[in-house]
Amino acid sequence: METESKLKSTLDQIEHINQAIRHTQRLRTHVCQIFRDIGDGLGEAAKSEEEQQAQERQKVLLGSLRSSLETVGHDIGELDKVGQTLVPVSPSANCDHVSLDPILDRTPLYSQVNTSYKRTNKMHEFASLAANILSQNALKRSPHQHPAGGKRVKRHMNTASMVPQAVVDQLVATLDRQHQDMRITVSRPLGSCAVMQMVLGRVLKAQVVLRGLVIEWVKVKGINEEFSTENGKVDIWSKSRYEVFQKISDHAAAAMLHYYAPFMPDIGIRSFTLWLQGYSNLFSAPCHKCGKYLQNAMPPTWRDLRNRDPYHDGCRQ
Amino acid sequence: MGVTCVYSYPVPDGKSGQAVVEILQRQIELLGALRSGHFCVDCDTFQSILQTSINVQPKTVYILHNSEQPASCFAITDTSLCLTADTLFDGLMHQLKNYYQQRKNAKMEAKGQRYELGDFILKVGSASLAGSFKGIIVEVEYCPCMVAVDCWGLMKELLQSVVGSVADQPPPILKNRQDELYSPSITVSQYLDIFNNFRKLSATNQIGR
Amino acid sequence: MEGAGTSYSNAFRFVAPLQEHLLQGSILDAHCEVLLHRLRGLCDNADTTPETFSDYEAVYQLKNNLATPASQYILLRVRQALDHPEAPHHIRYLGQAEVGDKSRHTLVRACFDVACSSNVRDFLNELGFKLDHEYVARGYFFHKGRMKVMVSKIYRMQQPGKTDQNTLEPITQSHMVELSVVAPMGQDSIGEEMKNFAEQLKPLVVLEKFDHKRLP
């Protein structure tokens, strides 16, 4: 019963609203008509006619104006009546107010969409150019091959990086034991990637981020510098204060790429560690080629990849 | 804060201290170093007024400040024990005025220009005792290295291009502490050594007259 | 003034000394928990557990045998945190307290606190200072604004120089409570603040100023 009565009342409401809309429309038409009539005025022949005819015409105009205004008054009265019967809609939920949100009018939606479209286009352009240039580099270490490449090659690449954590820990422990003057520790502050902290004697500290058994990132800093931010968290991005170690970080990145061996990953890490250990005489060895200690106020920062001889950056072949 | 070598550069006869300082500065600038401000190392002497036996020298404490470590104060006893403290230590020494008195007209200062060349910091300055010029001091610091024995080779190369044969040997203080991890107290001890040498020289000059 | 203006360090030399305002009291061990709860509620950082400290303090004395009785000896306290070995050592100089001034509620004395490297004990020995006494203090500390409250138990060291737990022996069955503020000279309103805070700790512990010279 209740639902029926509710249904009836809602239908009534709808009927009233429809009526109100119709009345408003009628009112609008009549008011428009009035303005049109006034706008038309007495007509074009007003200048050439005699006085009497002009007066008659005026009377006719005023008469029609009067009747139009009466109609308008009548319409307003009816609209009022219907308006009284309308019940204000109770707000059912907050979502009703969303339609009242004026912010949408104020957001410069069009210009923002335009800018983002232009930017995405530019990004596409640059990305395709970069892909062209980078594809010329034969040294690829990511598991994502060009789709035109063979699928079987793809599977082999993945294994070096998906190695269980225990294997990595074991390898690091072996390296630690093997090199007497290096202390290597492993931690996992960045999720499943291992971060190796190496301290080489009293010369330098290095931080190596591994993905499985593949070296991803190397940073070298001085013995008195720290690899942590102010909060104590591990920081792998900040550069060393000293030019020497900035240079060595660059060299280490080159070595890391050189020693990349996807099919024998632990040999890759071992060779890299052995190469890094060659820096224990960073400050005490003269350059192999020119025999001096300093070139441009820098010691020999390059260690040859095959025999670990010290060379100045400008003296290497 | 790296390995630092401090030397006193002898002033050849016939030249003024200022002229030699300028020559050295020009040489450093020729190497490619860039000026990066001034430096100042000063030294005060405090002597004990406690009565001990007659033949024993009264104890002395030297208080030094280095503009490279502006928040620190270094106190060195005559047995070369160096205490590193913060700048309130000066106030503490003044509280001890009934036991250790500051020697008047004994303030030594080394002031001059500071240069940076890559990871090296070079300083050339003149040392003065109570305002009168006593000698020239050259300091070279190699910041990345913390152990003197490792980097003596490259320090010598750079030093010889600046001061020549004065730097054939590492400074005596550094020679004894080549193996340990370097700290600013070693630099300050080197300065004190040089200041004491200047003091002795001026004392013998005065006696000679 | 010799060399005034030539050395930048002159500015630091004659810095206005700080003054320490102090109120002391003690509470039996059995009732210490209640005091800690009350302090936790009154002081800052009520939601974190109170911070503990474990310090080894040694007092060095330098005697002057020729001067006037007023400056017969000088005491310097060297404090080192046992639970944070990498923290620097501190030298503390505390001047004579001004007593007899009834308007002051707290003990006021000049205070110098200098951080230094760890060879400070050898250095003081070189200077002629002799070790007078040493002890280990362990307890909790709270702070409210610039007021610091320390509730500590003092332990005697049975073997000089050894600070492991088994060589320590508590001196009393109570904890010492100290309320102190270190502030620049001339701020006397701190005494009022401290007195009001001390009122809130009564009757658990009565904090008052003690004349150290009159202690037996």
Side-chain angles (χ1 to χ4, degrees), chain A residues 153-167:
Chain A
V153 191
K154 207 193 233 179
R155 290 224 179 94
H156 280 288
M157 292 290 185
N158 278 336
T159 52
S161 34
M162 321 268 217
V163 164
Q165 292 182 0
V167 176

Side-chain angles (χ1 to χ4, degrees), chain B residues 72-183:
Chain B
S72 302
C73 180
F74 300 90
I76 307 187
T77 61
D78 28 11
T79 51
S80 322
L81 187 66
C82 180
L83 179 78
T84 316
D86 61 28
T87 43
L88 286 174
F89 192 77
D90 286 328
L92 197 64
M93 280 314 284
H94 278 271
Q95 291 292 331
L96 294 177
K97 57 182 177 289
N98 292 326
Y99 309 86
Y100 276 88
Q101 266 190 351
Q102 190 172 2
R103 233 203 272 170
K104 305 277 178 246
N105 296 330
K107 188 178 166 81
M108 285 223 63
E109 259 187 359
K111 281 172 118 171
Q113 284 283 354
R114 180 182 187 267
Y115 295 88
E116 277 178 29
L117 174 64
D119 291 321
F120 285 93
I121 296 180
L122 300 108
K123 296 177 186 160
V124 177
S126 47
S128 56
L129 170 60
S132 61
F133 174 81
K134 287 288 173 252
I136 297 180
I137 294 192
V138 176
E139 178 195 315
V140 172
E141 178 180 349
Y142 187 53
C143 308
C145 184
M146 301 282 284
V147 182
V149 70
D150 280 349
C151 68
W152 171 242
L154 44 85
M155 293 282 276
K156 186 168 171 181
E157 224 177 82
L158 188 73
L159 279 163
Q160 285 187 329
S161 65
V162 176
V163 292
S165 56
V166 173
D168 274 339
Q169 291 293 322
I173 304 267
L174 194 60
K175 240 196 225 176
N176 300 338
R177 299 169 81 167
Q178 270 189 353
D179 252 344
E180 57 184 69
L181 217 56
Y182 200 82
S183 69

Side-chain angles (χ1 to χ4, degrees), chain A residues 32 42 59 96 156 178 181 186 231 262 286:
Chain A
C32 273
L42 298 170
K59 257 190 229 153
D96 286 357
H156 280 288
Q178 196 178 350
D181 51 354
V186 181
N231 305 338

Side-chain angles (χ1 to χ4, degrees), chain B residues 188-200:
Chain B
V188 159
S189 305
Q190 291 182 48
Y191 269 101
L192 183 65
D193 196 35
I194 294 179
F195 286 156
N196 282 338
N197 288 341
F198 283 146
R199 255 191 272 254
K200 271 186 231 154

Side-chain angles (χ1 to χ4, degrees), chain C residues 55-129:
Chain C
D55 284 350
Y56 165 38
E57 183 156 327
V59 179
Y60 287 85
Q61 189 187 51
L62 180 60
K63 281 212 173 80
N64 187 356
N65 32 23
L66 50 83
T68 59
S71 55
Q72 276 236 307
Y73 61 88
I74 191 168
L75 288 178
L76 282 184
R77 313 180 88 91
V78 175
R79 204 162 178 126
Q80 152 193 14
L82 292 172
D83 45 356
H84 294 284
E86 70 287 347
H89 290 52
H90 282 262
I91 301 180
R92 210 145 196 256
Y93 164 75
L94 297 165
Q96 298 287 7
E98 304 163 30
V99 285
D101 190 354
K102 297 285 180 238
S103 64
R104 278 194 213 242
H105 309 286
T106 66
L107 195 73
V108 181
R109 52 191 181 181
C111 161
F112 266 100
D113 196 337
V114 185
C116 54
S117 54
S118 50
N119 53 358
V120 57
R121 289 166 208 271
D122 295 330
F123 181 79
L124 288 177
N125 283 332
E126 281 291 326
L127 244 51
F129 280 80

Side-chain angles (χ1 to χ4, degrees), chain C residues 8-215:
Chain C
Y8 72 93
S9 60
N10 265 329
F12 291 114
R13 226 176 263 229
F14 303 101
V15 70
L18 300 169
Q19 276 184 326
E20 190 195 25
H21 300 249
L22 181 68
L23 282 177
Q24 289 171 309
S26 75
I27 185 168
L28 290 175
D29 284 343
H31 308 293
C32 189
E33 276 297 312
V34 186
L35 177 65
L36 288 175
H37 276 292
R38 195 181 281 199
L39 279 171
R40 211 171 150 181
L42 287 172
C43 298
D44 298 340
N45 294 337
D47 46 354
T48 52
T49 48
E51 291 180 57
T52 55
F53 70 93
S54 168
D55 284 350
Y56 165 38
E57 183 156 327
V59 179
Y60 287 85
Q61 189 187 51
L62 180 60
K63 281 212 173 80
N64 187 356
N65 32 23
L66 50 83
T68 59
S71 55
Q72 276 236 307
Y73 61 88
I74 191 168
L75 288 178
L76 282 184
R77 313 180 88 91
V78 175
R79 204 162 178 126
Q80 152 193 14
L82 292 172
D83 45 356
H84 294 284
E86 70 287 347
H89 290 52
H90 282 262
I91 301 180
R92 210 145 196 256
Y93 164 75
L94 297 165
Q96 298 287 7
E98 304 163 30
V99 285
D101 190 354
K102 297 285 180 238
S103 64
R104 278 194 213 242
H105 309 286
T106 66
L107 195 73
V108 181
R109 52 191 181 181
C111 161
F112 266 100
D113 196 337
V114 185
C116 54
S117 54
S118 50
N119 53 358
V120 57
R121 289 166 208 271
D122 295 330
F123 181 79
L124 288 177
N125 283 332
E126 281 291 326
L127 244 51
F129 280 80
K130 299 254 180 313
L131 179 66
D132 190 47
H133 60 273
E134 55 186 5
Y135 57 89
V136 169
R138 275 204 200 138
Y140 303 86
F141 75 88
F142 303 84
H143 52 94
K144 184 178 170 64
R146 52 186 177 173
M147 292 197 286
K148 184 169 83 163
V149 183
M150 291 208 300
V151 179
S152 52
K153 195 153 177 64
I154 316 281
Y155 294 85
R156 190 212 324 267
M157 292 161 60
Q158 285 159 344
Q159 292 173 30
K162 286 225 161 92
T163 56
D164 346 308
Q165 186 57 48
N166 38 5
T167 56
L168 295 176
E169 180 205 321
I171 294 183
T172 60
Q173 302 293 328
S174 54
H175 278 64
M176 181 159 87
V177 184
E178 286 176 311
L179 170 65
S180 64
V181 175
V182 176
M185 253 197 337
Q187 293 188 14
D188 292 329
S189 59
I190 300 174
E192 279 300 316
E193 253 184 76
M194 289 173 74
K195 181 159 156 287
N196 292 338
F197 190 80
E199 291 288 317
Q200 296 183 339
L201 293 179
K202 290 184 177 163
L204 274 180
V205 61
V206 177
L207 292 174
E208 46 192 27
K209 66 174 180 178
F210 287 94
D211 184 2
H212 296 154
K213 288 208 265 292
R214 290 225 214 104
L215 293 170

